[in-house]
Amino acid sequence: MNHVLNIDLGHHQYPIQVGEYFDFSLVSDRLQGRKVLLVSNDCVAPLYLAQVKAALSNNEVHVCVVQDGENHKNVKSWQMILNAAAQCGLTRTDVMVALGGGVVCDMTGFAAASWMRGVDFIQVPTTLLSQIDASVGGKTGVNHSKGKNLIGAFHQPLAVIINTQTLDTLPEREFNAGIGEAVKYAGINQASFADWLVDQQQAIRSKSPEVLTSLITQCCQFKVDVVEQDEKEQGVRALLNLGHTFGHALETATAYQGYLHGEAVALGMVMAAELSHRLGHCDASVRKTLEKLLQGFDLPIKLSKGLSPEQLVALMRLDKKVQSGKHRLILMKGMGQAFVADGVAEADMLAAIEACV
Ligand SMILES: NC(=O)c1ccc[n+]([C@@H]2O[C@H](COP(=O)([O-])OP(=O)(O)OC[C@H]3O[C@@H](n4cnc5c(N)ncnc54)[C@H](O)[C@@H]3O)[C@@H](O)[C@H]2O)c1
Ligand SMILES: [Zn+2]
């Protein structure tokens, strides 16, 4: 059975469908008579492109397959998508469809935002991370050599169509990394969701279809609630960065080879909880609860050997949110009680990281 959530941003509403098929019936009226540029990558296309093409058999479908990987999330791949759009004569009234993980979804969304100043697009996310996070909320973009996601636009999709069966082929490590972002919602404002994740751990790990549907639907709803309040990240949306400032430093320090994004966020949340405790915002149990939860999904909770806490703090200094040596971080007053903390001192950050070695 399909579960449908609606996201209402005032100026734009669209459905997020969670089911077990590539089922476009929800948007069949909107797709009628429109040409489709279907974008995927060379990992996902062999697995699912034929099924998605079949599901879109009432449309004229053109295909663009880019290379797999975060290192191909760049202007070159974006241009490839635009070239494919030009080649097939995609007009202002046609549609792009993204089939893949967060990388394909972000890039296709940005191509859709820029082609003819904006055409419609549909997200068909195929990783857990993209199903519960990246495909919701309208942030699109590509990386610049100076940093991640530096080039982009806000562009909301026509619909998000999630087929949970795609998770059967996702490598376990990628699946668990997605759980890192799910735990983030528990940390931000959904304390009881942490208990649910503990209760359902085995069922999630064995990919029970009902439990996966419930997991994804809940997480999408959590993100929808935040994005509906603050689409352009001027306030509460910043809380979605829980664990991310530490996490980005971990990713940069290891040149994106050491941790998957969700793994870096997991460890980053442990550091944020430790720092929150040190600054007197919460008790030590918050870190313990997080660690237990993350360990249940084989996510990292300790800094790998060879990474220096000083180097991580130096990398965090380069973050946009630093003002005269004082940092803005998302900290926690308890599980499910994240808040924006201004003026955090580097010495405290360093001590917190050292306590996670
Ligand atoms: N827009 C947003 O709000 C937002 C939020 C979070 C993350 N992101 C972005 O998302 C990206 C990370 O997304 P990701 O974790 O999905 O990574 P990804 O897109 O690189 O996918 C991970 C790997 O799994 C493969 N894959 C995808 N689906 C598969 C399937 N069903 N079976 C087998 N293999 C499959 C991919 O080809 C890739 O090799 C980052 O670029 C990040 O910046 C965006
Ligand atoms: Zn993230």
Side-chain angles (χ1 to χ4, degrees):
M1 208 183 82
N2 289 331
H3 290 248
V4 180
L5 308 173
N6 285 295
I7 175 159
D8 185 354
L9 300 165
H11 60 91
H12 185 74
Q13 295 89 30
Y14 61 92
I16 300 169
Q17 173 180 293
V18 188
E20 291 174 41
Y21 303 94
F22 295 113
D23 175 3
F24 292 86
S25 51
L26 196 65
V27 279
S28 56
D29 287 357
R30 308 284 308 268
L31 280 173
Q32 207 168 10
R34 300 170 86 176
K35 200 182 280 182
V36 170
L37 177 61
L38 174 56
V39 181
S40 191
N41 70 25
D42 53 15
C43 166
V44 177
L47 297 169
Y48 300 113
L49 193 77
Q51 285 180 51
V52 174
K53 266 184 100 169
L56 292 166
S57 60
N58 290 333
N59 296 82
E60 177 186 328
V61 179
H62 298 262
V63 170
C64 174
V65 176
V66 298
Q67 282 177 283
D68 183 26
E70 183 76 35
N71 55 330
H72 293 288
K73 186 182 175 182
N74 55 25
V75 174
K76 206 172 144 206
S77 301
W78 168 74
Q79 194 161 22
M80 244 184 97
I81 303 171
L82 299 184
N83 288 346
Q87 187 98 40
C88 74
L90 204 81
T91 68
R92 183 69 194 81
T93 55
D94 293 325
V95 188
M96 293 191 192
V97 175
L99 170 68
V103 169
V104 168
C105 289
D106 277 14
M107 277 199 300
T108 307
F110 184 49
S114 23
W115 182 247
M116 300 199 166
R117 298 195 188 87
V119 297
D120 284 340
F121 79 117
I122 295 173
Q123 304 274 38
V124 186
T126 60
T127 61
L128 183 59
L129 187 136
S130 59
Q131 293 174 351
I132 66 167
D133 190 353
S135 66
V136 182
K139 282 190 183 177
T140 73
V142 296
N143 301 333
H144 184 274
S145 56
K146 289 272 183 231
K148 261 190 87 164
N149 299 326
L150 287 182
I151 310 164
F154 282 98
H155 190 51
Q156 301 290 344
L158 203 60
V160 182
I161 307 286
I162 297 171
N163 174 357
T164 58
Q165 286 199 1
T166 56
L167 299 177
D168 288 346
T169 54
L170 189 68
E172 195 176 359
R173 188 174 166 203
E174 293 283 355
F175 180 84
N176 288 337
I179 297 288
E181 296 279 14
V183 172
K184 174 185 81 178
Y185 296 118
I188 295 171
N189 59 2
Q190 303 292 336
S192 59
F193 183 57
D195 302 331
W196 186 87
L197 285 169
V198 171
D199 288 347
Q200 302 297 329
Q201 183 186 314
Q202 282 319 318
I204 294 171
R205 292 201 68 151
S206 60
K207 304 209 177 95
S208 144
E210 295 77 32
V211 174
L212 283 184
T213 300
S214 175
L215 168 74
I216 294 165
T217 310
Q218 291 181 75
C219 289
C220 287
Q221 188 65 56
F222 300 149
K223 184 152 180 191
V224 164
D225 290 344
V226 172
V227 173
E228 280 182 347
Q229 289 176 58
D230 176 26
E231 183 186 0
K232 298 277 166 77
E233 197 165 325
Q234 282 148 347
V236 65
R237 191 167 179 170
L239 298 180
L240 294 173
N241 292 323
L242 176 63
H244 279 62
T245 308
F246 290 104
H248 287 151
L250 290 162
E251 289 181 283
T252 311
T254 53
Y256 295 92
Q257 310 292 312
Y259 297 92
L260 296 176
H261 176 69
E263 293 172 340
V265 170
L267 178 51
M269 285 189 289
V270 173
M271 292 170 172
E274 173 63 27
L275 179 55
S276 304
H277 170 52
R278 281 169 180 268
L279 296 176
H281 297 300
C282 67
D283 58 52
S285 67
V286 176
R287 174 176 171 186
K288 294 240 158 11
T289 305
L290 273 174
E291 286 183 336
K292 188 164 167 258
L293 195 49
L294 297 168
Q295 266 184 312
F297 293 94
D298 299 334
L299 287 162
I301 57 166
K302 292 229 178 306
L303 190 63
S304 346
K305 290 193 180 60
L307 280 176
S308 101
E310 286 82 5
Q311 185 199 359
L312 292 178
V313 173
L315 286 166
M316 290 169 80
R317 203 174 295 141
L318 300 175
D319 197 277
K320 305 185 270 301
K321 300 171 214 77
V322 182
Q323 279 179 339
S324 47
K326 296 283 189 178
H327 292 246
R328 165 173 282 196
L329 289 170
I330 310 301
L331 297 181
M332 302 165 83
K333 291 184 176 156
M335 200 64 180
Q337 297 176 60
F339 69 103
V340 179
D342 274 310
V344 181
E346 289 189 355
D348 293 322
M349 290 158 55
L350 184 64
I353 297 173
E354 280 169 345
C356 294
V357 174

